Amino acid sequence: MAARRNDYPTADELRVWRDFIETTEALRSELSSRLQRETSLSPGDYAVLLALREADGRRLRSSDLAARVGWERSRLSHQIGRMERRGLVRREECVTDSRGAEVVLTPEGAEAFRDATLPHLRAVRELFVSPLSPDQLAAAEQITTALRSRLKAPGDT
């Protein structure tokens, strides 16, 4: 079956797509570099610490933590191992299910997160929020909402 013309993006749509991807990658790269340079935390460290900081009891089952940060469990396992060696988190037997383990935020991890938060938020403001007008920021929210809703698999909530 021959593909129809509107099955593919136009040249202008592809230009916008590339600009979007390239800008997003440049923004992520700069934020990551600053986070690492100013706080010695990687973006992965920060994502895990943030999820644990927001969790009840500052602990989550590994599977729940993986879902919150959007990673495969194997990637999370390697990340947690690196963070454990640095004293940022620890694994404990799950109190409600002896078959599972929970990842727990340590006092050192909570302190590292606190120390990283203000520099990271300043960088987010400088690189993302400040260059945009309130209308542009609202449009960015609408765009991300539309894209996320399309990306949800059937049955996701």
Side-chain angles (χ1 to χ4, degrees):
M1 177 182 217
R4 294 186 320 205
R5 178 177 212 113
N6 58 355
D7 285 345
Y8 302 102
T10 66
D12 283 341
E13 291 166 340
L14 282 173
R15 179 187 47 76
V16 171
W17 163 248
R18 287 190 58 179
D19 285 350
F20 177 79
I21 293 301
E22 290 168 4
T23 302
T24 302
E25 288 302 315
L27 180 59
R28 288 176 69 129
S29 178
E30 181 62 22
L31 285 169
S32 297
S33 294
R34 287 187 187 194
L35 184 65
Q36 186 78 46
R37 184 174 62 247
E38 295 174 1
T39 70
S40 299
L41 293 178
S42 71
D45 294 336
Y46 193 84
V48 168
L49 294 174
L50 175 61
L52 290 172
R53 175 68 176 79
E54 293 176 341
D56 286 339
R58 297 186 177 182
R59 61 178 53 232
L60 286 168
R61 290 182 61 107
S62 295
S63 56
D64 294 333
L65 180 55
R68 284 206 190 179
V69 296
W71 294 350
E72 296 292 324
R73 289 184 66 183
S74 62
R75 177 180 178 192
L76 179 67
S77 180
H78 291 291
Q79 178 72 38
I80 295 304
R82 289 188 295 273
M83 293 176 76
E84 274 184 305
R85 288 188 289 279
R86 293 168 34 223
L88 301 173
V89 299
R90 69 177 177 273
R91 293 179 223 222
E92 291 182 359
E93 198 172 289
C94 183
V95 293
T96 59
D97 179 359
S98 62
R99 296 173 296 151
E102 292 180 314
V103 180
V104 180
L105 182 65
T106 64
E108 296 82 4
E111 181 179 355
F113 179 77
R114 266 191 314 275
D115 291 347
T117 297
L118 289 179
H120 182 60
L121 292 177
R122 274 193 299 271
V124 169
R125 169 152 306 275
E126 176 191 341
L127 297 170
F128 180 74
V129 177
S130 291
L132 301 176
S133 70
D135 288 344
Q136 289 171 324
L137 200 55
E141 181 181 27
Q142 292 170 348
I143 290 166
T144 58
T145 299
L147 293 173
R148 282 184 188 266
S149 70
R150 177 58 67 108
L151 293 171
K152 285 186 177 178
D156 282 357
T157 57

